[in-house]
């Protein structure tokens, strides 16, 4: 749990009283491999910090699972439109490894926002994720699968190590076969 | 400027000090159709509020312009990555209808966040809102057929269909102008 407090503190120094309040709010949940944090169609009520583990976000299109992103230690797991809009989620969030998370509810988060410092933190975290999202959007629109694979290797190498090939392929929008061709070209 | 202050204070009350700062430091700009607010390669160093007008955001893919976003009255404009990291933008922002904008600089915004902490609430809400819209846009691009994307636009942003030239609308929906007119005809 302390790593989450440190993470928040890195965006803006938290007074000890606020740290204490957050510690009391953070609840722990253990997600077994393959279990769902959120299923498409459900309304997201929880903001989750990943302490340890790996999750994927995905849609189902024409009966196929399309992976859109992967989250690991230090990431915030949330469906933006579902959590903030309190609307049914368009995607699912599933554990790919045994995952340990800490979470708070939407109501608890809104209550924390009555502290000015927490708005600074919330704003900065949202700005950070917003940039990541924009990068992803741009990458999907402009880059080839190989370029996107290269980006993953450079920025999130641990993901490439931990993810089964089929999930990486799905994320890149290619088949397993194409992915191994890309990978073998790199080994030469 | 009243409209802008009302819009911001509807999200969270602004202190008298902040209102005074904004009244003194907000700048206005008038731009004509085809003018650029930001060109690819420039740093997005201002944050704009659209008082009047219509603009588009586009990037180049294989030397073709692809429209990615449209902004109108009441919207806030930045090029996200470029603005937050103060680095060159990969996208351009161009005027589609003569517009009137209010703006402050990146530094002025940071000063406001430091000096008038209540504005962090406003900044947070606006960032959440645009991030959510961005998420929905990606979902739409990936999941929906062009007919569905057009329908979504017709339902949620019908004024764009009226105001945005067909070629830009088609590019935004990821279809050709021919396909767009077929969809419209149905």
């Amino acid at each position: 749990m302390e790593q989450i407090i440190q993470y928040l503190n890195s965006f803006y120094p938290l007074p000890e009283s606020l740290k204490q309040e957050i510690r009391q709010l953070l609840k722990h949940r253990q997600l077994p491999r393959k279990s769902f944090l959120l299923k498409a169609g459900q309304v997201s009520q929880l903001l989750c910090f990943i302490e340890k583990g790996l999750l994927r976000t995905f849609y189902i299109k024409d009966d196929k699972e399309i992976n859109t992103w992967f989250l690991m230690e230090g990431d915030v797991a949330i469906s933006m439109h579902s959590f903030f809009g309190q609307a049914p989620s368009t995607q699912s969030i599933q554990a790919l490894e045994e995952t340990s998370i800490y979470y708070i509810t939407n109501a608890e988060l809104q209550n924390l926002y009555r502290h000015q410092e927490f708005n600074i933190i919330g704003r900065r975290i949202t700005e950070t994720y917003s940039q990541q999202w924009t990068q992803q959007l741009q990458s999907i629109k402009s880059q080839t699968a190989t370029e996107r694979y290269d980006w993953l290797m450079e920025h999130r190498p641990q993901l490439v190590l931990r993810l089964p090939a089929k999930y990486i392929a799905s994320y890149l929008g290619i088949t397993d076969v194409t992915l191994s061709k890309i990978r073998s070209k790199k080994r030469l | 400027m009243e409209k802008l202050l009302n819009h911001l204070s509807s999200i969270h009350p602004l202190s008298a000090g902040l209102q005074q700062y904004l009244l003194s430091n907000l700048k206005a700009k008038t731009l004509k159709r085809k003018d650029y607010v930001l060109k690819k390669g420039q740093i997005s160093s201002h944050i704009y509020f659209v008082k009047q007008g219509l603009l588009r955001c586009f990037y180049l893919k294989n030397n073709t312009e692809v429209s990615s976003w449209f902004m109108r009255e009441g919207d806030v404009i930045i090029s996200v990555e470029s603005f937050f990291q103060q680095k060159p933008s990969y996208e351009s922002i161009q005027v589609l209808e003569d517009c009137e904008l209010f703006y402050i600089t990146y530094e002025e915004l940071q000063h406001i966040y430091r000096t008038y902490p209540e504005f962090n609430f406003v900044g947070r809400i606006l960032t959440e809102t645009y991030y959510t819209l961005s998420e929905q846009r990606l979902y739409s691009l990936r999941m929906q057929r062009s007919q569905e994307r057009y329908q979504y636009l017709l339902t949620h942003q019908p004024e764009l269909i009226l105001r945005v030239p067909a070629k830009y609308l088609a590019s935004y929906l990821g279809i050709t102008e021919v396909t767009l007119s077929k969809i419209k005809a149905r």
Side-chain angles (χ1 to χ4, degrees):
Chain A
M1 191 196 284
E2 270 324 287
Q3 88 193 59
I4 294 163
I5 303 289
Q6 286 321 307
Y7 170 74
L8 296 172
N9 202 63
S10 72
F11 288 93
Y12 191 83
L14 288 164
E16 190 53 44
S17 56
L18 186 46
K19 281 183 185 171
Q20 258 314 103
E21 192 179 334
I22 295 169
R23 281 186 196 110
Q24 276 156 14
L25 288 173
L26 284 171
K27 290 165 276 297
H28 183 255
R29 185 184 279 187
Q30 197 69 18
L31 296 168
R33 201 172 147 267
K34 300 266 172 168
S35 67
F36 284 84
L37 181 57
L38 181 71
K39 277 189 175 157
Q42 290 176 336
V43 177
S44 173
Q45 303 294 353
L46 311 178
L47 176 74
C48 309
F49 299 94
I50 303 171
E51 187 190 33
K52 182 157 174 52
L54 182 64
L55 300 165
R56 67 167 177 150
T57 58
F58 69 95
Y59 308 122
I60 305 239
K61 183 178 182 180
D62 303 327
D63 291 328
K64 275 206 323 236
E65 291 176 354
I66 300 175
N67 295 309
T68 54
W69 195 231
F70 305 99
L71 304 155
M72 5 176 264
E73 297 81 24
D75 284 333
V76 176
I78 188 174
S79 168
M80 286 297 290
H81 67 282
S82 181
F83 185 79
F84 289 111
Q86 284 296 288
S89 177
T90 54
Q91 51 189 339
S92 301
I93 307 177
Q94 188 187 35
L96 295 178
E97 294 171 2
E98 176 87 16
T99 299
S100 164
I101 60 161
Y102 283 93
Y103 67 91
I104 57 172
T105 67
N106 196 342
E108 287 164 344
L109 178 67
Q110 299 313 320
N111 199 38
L112 278 176
Y113 278 138
R114 77 185 193 286
H115 297 286
Q116 254 167 15
E117 306 91 336
F118 207 73
N119 279 281
I120 299 173
I121 292 169
R123 173 178 65 77
R124 288 183 174 167
I125 293 176
T126 311
E127 284 172 3
T128 304
Y129 277 90
S130 178
Q131 285 174 71
Q132 272 184 27
W133 191 255
T134 311
Q135 272 167 5
Q136 272 228 76
L137 203 86
Q138 187 52 28
S139 164
I140 288 162
K141 291 191 288 193
S142 311
Q143 292 183 321
T144 63
T146 307
E147 286 168 330
R148 294 178 66 214
Y149 180 79
D150 288 342
W151 188 93
L152 268 184
M153 283 297 287
E154 193 190 324
H155 292 87
R156 309 271 269 183
Q158 322 89 321
L159 276 182
V160 182
L161 282 171
R162 287 158 79 175
L163 285 169
K166 64 175 181 176
Y167 291 135
I168 301 177
S170 156
Y171 168 72
L172 296 174
I174 56 181
T175 62
D176 285 17
V177 174
T178 311
L179 177 62
S180 43
K181 280 186 187 158
I182 291 173
R183 278 175 147 169
S184 55
K185 271 196 203 135
K186 305 224 164 267
R187 279 195 281 271
L188 289 167
Chain B
M1 209 177 282
E2 283 313 305
K3 233 170 126 183
L4 171 56
L5 291 179
N6 287 336
H7 175 69
L8 296 172
S9 45
S10 72
I11 298 171
H12 191 277
L14 309 177
S15 62
L18 176 53
Q19 290 188 53
Q20 193 46 53
Y21 181 89
L22 287 172
L23 284 168
S24 309
N25 291 281
L26 267 171
K27 292 164 274 294
K29 197 179 223 184
T30 307
L31 291 167
K32 296 231 156 308
R33 199 167 92 67
K34 301 248 171 179
D35 282 348
Y36 281 86
V37 169
L38 179 74
K39 276 189 175 156
K40 172 185 146 113
Q42 290 177 337
I43 296 175
S44 177
S45 53
H46 299 86
I47 180 164
Y48 299 90
F49 176 82
V50 184
K51 186 191 176 191
Q52 184 68 42
L54 186 68
L55 304 99
R56 69 165 181 145
C57 190
F58 71 89
Y59 61 96
L60 286 172
K61 184 175 180 178
N62 303 327
N63 286 323
T64 308
E65 291 178 0
V66 180
S67 297
S68 53
W69 207 251
F70 298 105
M71 300 80 111
R72 47 181 286 250
E73 297 82 17
D75 282 335
V76 174
I77 305 174
I78 52 168
S79 176
V80 173
E81 230 189 312
S82 173
F83 184 79
F84 289 126
Q85 294 184 36
Q86 288 296 285
K87 67 177 201 190
S89 171
Y90 68 86
E91 51 190 8
S92 303
I93 300 172
Q94 190 184 36
V95 180
L96 293 180
E97 286 173 9
D98 290 358
C99 69
E100 225 184 297
L101 307 171
F102 288 119
Y103 67 97
I104 53 172
T105 67
Y106 174 83
E107 283 80 21
E108 284 166 339
L109 180 63
Q110 301 312 313
H111 170 80
I112 291 173
Y113 281 142
R114 277 191 307 268
T115 318
Y116 309 102
E118 74 275 13
F119 202 71
N120 283 280
F121 194 101
V122 178
R124 175 181 63 79
I125 297 279
L126 287 175
T127 313
E128 282 171 10
T129 305
Y130 283 99
Y131 180 2
T132 305
L133 282 173
S134 185
E135 195 192 64
Q136 280 169 343
R137 162 130 182 84
L138 181 57
Y139 171 76
S140 173
L141 268 175
R142 294 179 84 127
M143 289 299 284
Q144 296 176 320
R145 295 182 175 66
S146 47
Q147 172 76 47
E148 289 168 318
R149 294 203 292 276
Y150 178 81
Q151 197 54 50
Y152 184 90
L153 209 58
L154 192 60
T155 312
H156 292 87
Q157 296 185 284
E159 72 287 338
L160 284 186
I161 295 176
L162 288 170
R163 290 165 77 177
V164 175
K167 62 178 175 177
Y168 299 138
L169 204 57
S171 136
Y172 174 75
L173 292 170
I175 57 182
T176 61
E177 278 185 72
V178 174
T179 310
L180 177 61
S181 43
K182 280 185 188 159
I183 292 174
K184 275 180 153 173
R186 278 191 212 142

